[in-house]
Amino acid sequence: DVKVTQSSRYLVKRTGEKVFLECVQDMDHENMFWYRQDPGLGLRLIYFSYDVKMKEKGDIPEGYSVSREKKERFSLILESASTNQTSMYLCASSFPGQVSTEAFFGQGTRLTVV
Amino acid sequence: GQNIDQPTEMTATEGAIVQINCTYQTSGFNGLFWYQQHAGEAPTFLSYNVLDGLEEKGRFSSFLSRSKGYSYLLLKELQMKDSASYLCAVRESQAGTALIFGKGTTLSVSS
């Protein structure tokens, strides 16, 4: 089974802190994604990566950065956390190129910024 | 621009059939996906359509009309465990392989 693992289920951080959200997948997927999910807004794409050291901005990249140093790991970084970044963060991965390939999701990290 | 619309909420009773509609306007199209998400859990893949027509998978079926920018997810013989959010997502060819999601439809199944 494909496994996408996020390092924490719940996190509480203070405003202004630097926050790292880690995601690891074990299926050798080239593509990895970070979304945030908010009530009434659905899943919104923050960043994605289609190869090691490659990254592309999604719809809402402001206030975030990412790192992909190894194929299996994709990190989301909040340089200076703010209360409007309180959300559920979901990581996903998939194979590229094959049109029918679905994305597999991690369990999510519920981040609260106080 | 991109826009994916689906109803916010739907209700149904056990044993019934429900159809969840999704309309999309995107700059490109490279497939439409349906995901199921139970409260507090990760989305899980249900179905995929890239060509027009109906794809059937057990109690769930999904339909696509590319000319109309329209899809639906059909759930038959509803069970209580089908109470969940159903997410419609489109892959735009110009956006690589990232999925763009609608806001989701929360389905409540009652006995």
Side-chain angles (χ1 to χ4, degrees), chain B residues 2 7 30 38 48 66 73 78 102 109:
Chain B
Q2 53 192 229
N30 198 20
H38 285 100
Y48 166 79
R66 288 173 296 168
L73 180 69
L78 279 173
V109 180

Side-chain angles (χ1 to χ4, degrees), chain A residues 42-100:
Chain A
L43 273 82
R44 292 179 292 166
L45 181 66
I46 305 172
Y47 268 97
F48 69 99
S49 169
Y50 52 87
D51 202 351
V52 175
K53 297 193 185 295
M54 306 302 288
K55 60 185 179 183
E56 294 284 342
K57 292 180 180 179
D59 296 321
I60 51 164
E62 298 79 17
Y64 304 95
S65 62
V66 290
S67 173
R68 184 104 181 263
E69 295 297 318
K70 293 185 178 181
K71 190 175 186 180
E72 67 271 19
R73 186 179 297 270
F74 192 34
S75 302
L76 180 70
I77 303 154
L78 287 67
E79 294 290 340
S80 177
S82 63
T83 54
N84 63 12
Q85 292 179 309
T86 291
S87 186
M88 170 67 85
Y89 289 88
L90 288 162
C91 174
S93 71
S94 73
F95 285 117
Q98 300 161 17
V99 175
S100 63

Side-chain angles (χ1 to χ4, degrees), chain B residues 31-107:
Chain B
L32 187 141
F33 297 77
W34 284 96
Y35 280 79
Q36 180 190 60
Q37 185 179 27
H38 285 100
E41 297 183 10
T44 55
F45 170 77
L46 286 178
S47 70
Y48 166 79
N49 296 72
V50 68
L51 299 177
D52 291 350
L54 190 68
E55 295 283 340
E56 296 187 80
K57 196 186 280 189
R59 293 189 298 116
F60 293 3
S61 304
S62 57
F63 171 83
L64 175 67
S65 169
R66 288 173 296 168
S67 62
K68 295 181 180 177
Y70 168 69
S71 173
Y72 67 72
L73 180 69
L74 192 71
L75 293 76
K76 303 176 187 175
E77 301 169 12
L78 279 173
Q79 302 174 10
M80 298 291 284
K81 67 179 182 179
D82 297 329
S83 292
S85 288
Y86 292 86
L87 312 178
C88 174
V90 171
R91 182 163 53 205
E92 296 181 310
S93 50
Q94 283 89 343
T97 56
L99 296 181
I100 309 301
F101 284 84
K103 295 178 182 178
T105 299
T106 300
L107 173 66

Side-chain angles (χ1 to χ4, degrees), chain A residues 4-9 11 19-25 32 34 67 72-77 89-91 106 108-109:
Chain A
V4 180
T5 303
Q6 296 182 229
S7 52
S8 304
R9 287 298 301 270
L11 272 180
V19 181
F20 292 86
L21 303 184
E22 305 287 348
C23 176
V24 177
Q25 50 93 4
M32 296 189 75
W34 276 106
S67 173
E72 67 271 19
R73 186 179 297 270
F74 192 34
S75 302
L76 180 70
I77 303 154
Y89 289 88
L90 288 162
C91 174
T109 297

